[in-house]
């Protein structure tokens, strides 16, 4: 930092292309005194001084100079701090990769009224300044090149274990897990594979997954049976017991339904030369006085008839197990495409692109949203490249293939409403506010309230990865003002309280629920 009446500059960042490389950087600043000046630095973090007083600093531009014969070296600039002769320090957050050699605008937090015309609306595009000739510069909002390698390595790991997910009829209800399954399904979020192996055939565990499994947003209260699901009292009398009836339970509000109508008429593909199939089932569920949710009846299509019977718990063991397996298969397809790809990735990408294109870096909404769209664009680009591309994972391993995926995405988007994206509204709309043992709802509403009260934003994504940033973690200091910092601290304190409440609750459960445990929730959609 400069001292003794000089304007000082400090630049912090990292670089990519060999260890020990130096980055040459310079700065151009504008103050309220209607003066401007330029400063230079040949190091990642080194002070430089100029004794011209500019008044309050409004705007800076960074200049990254070429290093030796490496024109394409990349530099990740964290922040620029400028110290005025009066001793005032101005912080300019950047947090972007800069490639090539050029000048890029920088902003202080006080530049809201001036900022719009100074920032490029498309940070992925080449920046050019009038009257200047320079190498191209690309601003990349955070993805390091090695993260692409991490993603490829993850895919390779799956490819090395093709037998882990293969299915074969178990010799008993307590079959030993396949070798390697404990390695594949590991981490603080995943359900214990030992527990699943022991309980996977139980109706209570089947119903539990609708409340606290990987897709707990489908179950809804059923007050009247659909016309295309003709379940009768005689069919379910054995499951309900003699003390009640189906009509009484419907009126009491203890009957729920899972409808997979979106999967109807979705085209399928061939995998390894074998035609694949997808069901569009209806599943009727009952919450017993004990709190357990169990299936009462399953119909594997939307059209009842001789070719689409209703399966019951009173059927033979493996017939009932097979019906439940088809339902879980449909659950996978609906979750993977609608809850995961559409809601968590593609919708998040819309906001990520809009944030990068339309909001200047000094805008409070930009600072609020940018930590929560970190890597969102990049992970989606990788998904389009490796997962849903022609010949990608969906074509090679998933029953829908790319063609069915596109059809299902379109149908899901047509049925998407704003209320379904707002957790409190979605809970009320599905009629599950009084559903017992619904830990997804309980934990999720607490986190939603914390976010709402502290004006934060978040994506409920729960897969830990090597470059994870848990919810409420802000290592990049976009907000430098005291007020927002207080709000972030209050938000972090509330998340810590919620974490303690979840830990206390889990001590009394035979199967812990950790999906909405704040340290396991990503700050952004990053995988």
């Amino acid at each position: 930092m400069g001292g003794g009446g000089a304007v000082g500059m400090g630049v912090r960042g990292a670089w990519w292309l060999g260890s020990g490389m130096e980055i040459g950087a310079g700065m151009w600043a504008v103050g309220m005194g209607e003066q401007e000046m330029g400063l230079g630095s040949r190091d990642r973090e080194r002070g430089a001084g100029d004794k011209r007083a500019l008044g309050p600093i409004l705007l800076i531009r960074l200049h990254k100079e070429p290093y030796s014969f490496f024109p394409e070296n990349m530099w990740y600039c964290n922040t620029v701090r400028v110290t005025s002769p009066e001793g005032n320090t101005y912080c300019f957050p950047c947090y972007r990769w800069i490639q090539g050699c050029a000048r890029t605008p920088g902003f202080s937090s006080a530049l809201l009224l001036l900022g719009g015309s100074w920032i490029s609306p498309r940070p992925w595009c080449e920046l050019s300044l009038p009257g200047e000739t320079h190498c191209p510069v690309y601003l990349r909002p955070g993805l390091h090149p090695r993260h692409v390698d991490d993603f490829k390595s993850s895919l390779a790991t799956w490819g090395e274990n093709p037998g882990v997910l293969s299915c074969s009829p178990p010799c008993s209800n307590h079959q030993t897990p396949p070798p390697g399954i404990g390695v594949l399904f590991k981490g603080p979020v995943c359900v214990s594979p030992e527990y699943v192996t022991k309980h996977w055939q139980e109706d209570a565990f089947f119903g539990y997954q609708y409340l606290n499994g990987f897709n707990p947003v489908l179950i809804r209260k059923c007050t009247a049976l659909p016309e295309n699901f003709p379940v009768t009292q005689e069919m379910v009398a054995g499951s309900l017991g003699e003390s009640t009836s189906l009509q009484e339970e419907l009126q009491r509000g203890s009957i729920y339904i899972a409808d997979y109508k979106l999967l109807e008429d979705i085209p399928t593909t061939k995998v390894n030369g074998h035609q694949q199939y997808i069901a569009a089932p209806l599943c009727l569920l009952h919450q017993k006085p004990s709190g357990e949710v169990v299936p009462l009846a399953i119909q594997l299509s939307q059209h009842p008839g001789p070719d689409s019977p209703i399966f019951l718990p009173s059927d033979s063991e493996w017939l009932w197990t097979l019906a439940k397996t088809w339902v879980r298969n449909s659950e996978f397809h609906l979750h993977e495409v609608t809850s995961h790809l559409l809601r968590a990735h593609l919708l998040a990408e819309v906001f990520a692109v809009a944030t990068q294109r339309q909001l200047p870096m000094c805008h409070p909404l930009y600072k609020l949203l940018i930590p929560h769209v970190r890597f969102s664009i990049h992970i989606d680009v990788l998904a389009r490249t490796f997962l849903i591309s022609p010949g990608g994972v969906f074509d090679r391993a998933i029953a829908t293939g790319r063609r069915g995926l596109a059809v299902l995405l379109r149908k899901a988007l047509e049925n998407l409403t704003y209320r379904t994206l707002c957790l409190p509204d979605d809970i009320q709309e599905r009629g599950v506010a009084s559903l017992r043992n619904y830990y997804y709802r309980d934990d999720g509403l607490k986190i939603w309230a914390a976010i709402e009260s502290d004006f934060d934003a978040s994506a409920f994504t729960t897969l830990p990865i090597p470059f994870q940033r848990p919810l409420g973690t802000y290592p990049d200091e976009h907000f430098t003002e005291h007020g927002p910092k207080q709000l972030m601290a209050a938000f972090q304190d509330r998340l810590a309280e919620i974490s303690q409440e979840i830990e206390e609750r889990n001590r009394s459960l035979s199967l812990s629920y950790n999906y909405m445990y704040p340290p396991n929730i990503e700050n952004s959609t990053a995988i």
Side-chain angles (χ1 to χ4, degrees):
M1 296 297 178
V7 175
M9 176 189 74
V11 183
R12 296 182 59 87
W15 66 100
W16 176 256
L17 187 62
S19 175
M21 176 173 291
E22 291 187 347
I23 293 294
M27 185 191 78
W28 179 81
V30 175
M32 287 189 68
E34 297 184 354
Q35 297 188 54
E36 59 185 62
M37 70 169 190
L39 297 173
S41 172
R42 284 297 304 172
D43 207 339
R44 291 176 294 131
E45 184 176 2
R46 193 179 95 191
D50 191 301
K51 295 187 177 182
R52 285 177 286 171
L54 301 179
I57 308 298
L58 299 180
L59 173 75
I60 68 168
R61 281 181 179 174
L62 282 181
H63 174 66
K64 187 172 80 66
E65 303 167 0
Y67 173 77
S68 183
F69 52 85
F70 297 104
E72 296 299 324
N73 61 333
M74 296 169 62
W75 176 39
Y76 188 83
C77 177
N78 290 337
T79 59
V80 180
R81 295 183 183 273
V82 181
T83 303
S84 70
E86 296 79 18
N88 298 320
T89 299
Y90 302 87
C91 179
F92 297 83
C94 184
Y95 301 107
R96 293 192 178 198
W97 285 98
I98 303 176
Q99 179 175 327
C101 311
R103 298 187 176 101
T104 174
F107 299 90
S108 73
S109 57
L111 198 59
L112 177 60
L113 297 179
L114 305 178
S117 62
W118 288 93
I119 189 113
S120 168
R122 296 186 298 276
W124 280 84
C125 297
E126 180 177 334
L127 299 179
S128 59
L129 302 179
E132 295 186 4
T133 302
H134 52 71
C135 300
V137 59
Y138 296 91
L139 301 183
R140 303 186 176 185
L143 185 69
H144 197 285
R146 62 172 171 265
H147 294 158
V148 179
D149 297 331
D150 291 341
F151 188 85
K152 292 179 180 178
S153 298
S154 298
L155 291 179
T157 301
W158 280 78
E160 292 170 0
N161 295 275
V164 170
L165 299 181
S166 61
C167 297
S168 58
C171 56
S172 71
N173 290 352
H174 309 293
Q175 182 188 18
T176 302
I181 195 169
V183 176
L184 181 62
F185 299 104
K186 65 180 180 178
V189 175
C190 295
V191 176
S192 163
E194 292 79 15
Y195 186 96
V196 174
T197 301
K198 184 177 180 180
H199 299 281
W200 72 277
Q201 275 190 284
E202 298 174 6
D203 287 353
F205 185 58
F206 178 87
Y208 171 89
Q209 293 177 73
Y210 280 106
L211 277 62
N212 304 307
F214 61 81
N215 191 37
V217 297
L218 183 64
I219 186 172
R220 61 177 56 243
K221 182 176 289 186
C222 179
T223 56
L225 292 176
E227 293 183 0
N228 64 333
F229 197 17
V231 179
T232 65
Q233 166 63 25
E234 291 73 21
M235 291 179 180
V236 298
S239 297
L240 293 177
E242 298 178 356
S243 61
T244 188
S245 67
L246 179 58
Q247 187 59 38
E248 288 174 345
E249 294 302 310
L250 286 168
Q251 293 174 351
R252 187 177 288 118
S254 62
I255 301 296
Y256 297 86
I257 193 169
D259 189 349
Y260 298 85
K261 183 175 176 59
L262 280 179
L263 294 175
E264 188 176 26
D265 299 325
I266 297 297
T268 58
T269 187
K270 291 183 177 181
V271 175
N272 295 328
H274 298 284
Q275 182 62 47
Q276 303 297 298
Y277 302 92
I278 297 176
L282 290 149
C283 181
L284 197 66
L285 302 148
H286 174 229
Q287 183 156 61
K288 299 163 66 174
S290 64
E292 289 182 337
V293 173
V294 295
L296 292 177
I298 292 172
Q299 180 179 289
L300 294 180
S301 82
Q302 296 288 314
H303 306 284
D307 295 330
S308 182
I310 294 176
F311 297 94
L312 304 169
S314 56
D315 291 331
S316 65
E317 176 186 4
W318 286 109
L319 187 62
W320 179 238
T321 299
L322 187 60
K324 291 189 293 182
T325 301
W326 274 103
V327 173
R328 298 310 303 169
N329 177 267
S330 298
E331 181 83 359
F332 162 78
H333 291 290
L334 207 58
H335 163 264
E336 189 63 26
V337 177
T338 62
S339 301
H340 184 187
L341 179 60
L342 176 60
R343 297 188 188 186
H345 282 272
L346 301 184
L347 288 182
E349 183 179 340
V350 171
F351 290 95
V353 171
T355 298
Q356 295 285 352
R357 285 183 171 179
Q358 304 301 330
L359 296 176
M361 293 173 65
C362 63
H363 199 290
L365 276 180
Y366 177 95
K367 298 180 179 184
L368 182 70
L369 292 175
I370 199 65
H372 303 290
V373 297
R374 176 178 178 259
F375 295 163
S376 294
I377 295 175
H378 312 290
I379 198 66
D380 289 357
V381 169
L382 293 175
R384 293 186 183 99
T385 303
F386 298 105
L387 300 182
I388 61 177
S389 57
V393 171
F394 261 76
D395 272 347
R396 292 184 286 111
I398 308 299
T400 61
R402 293 179 67 250
R403 179 166 168 262
L405 167 70
V407 175
L408 182 53
L409 268 178
R410 186 187 69 244
K411 293 175 68 174
L413 185 59
E414 290 171 352
N415 286 271
L416 186 69
T417 67
Y418 182 75
R419 288 177 63 86
T420 61
L421 300 175
C422 300
L423 184 59
D425 295 336
D426 181 58
I427 294 297
Q428 293 298 323
E429 191 171 272
R430 291 190 288 118
V432 292
S434 60
L435 186 57
R436 285 175 290 164
N437 303 327
Y438 197 8
Y439 308 127
Y440 162 78
R441 174 203 60 207
D442 299 340
D443 299 348
L445 287 177
K446 290 179 182 179
I447 295 172
W448 182 279
I451 292 171
E452 194 172 44
S453 64
D454 290 295
F455 306 99
D456 209 304
S458 172
F460 286 166
T461 315
T462 59
L463 293 176
I465 49 178
F467 37 97
Q468 179 190 38
R469 286 184 181 177
L471 181 63
T473 302
Y474 304 103
D476 297 343
E477 193 178 10
H478 291 281
F479 281 109
T480 59
E481 303 87 344
H482 179 67
K485 286 187 173 182
Q486 279 188 315
L487 288 175
M488 287 189 289
F491 179 55
Q492 291 165 342
D493 290 342
R494 178 56 186 142
L495 290 180
E497 293 175 359
I498 295 172
S499 298
Q500 292 179 354
E501 293 168 6
I502 292 175
E503 291 169 3
E504 181 65 27
R505 189 267 320 281
N506 283 345
R507 292 190 186 100
S508 63
L509 301 179
S510 58
L511 182 61
S512 296
Y513 181 73
N514 294 308
Y515 283 104
M516 303 300 286
Y517 183 58
N520 292 337
I521 299 176
E522 274 283 340
N523 225 15
S524 61
T525 303
I527 189 171

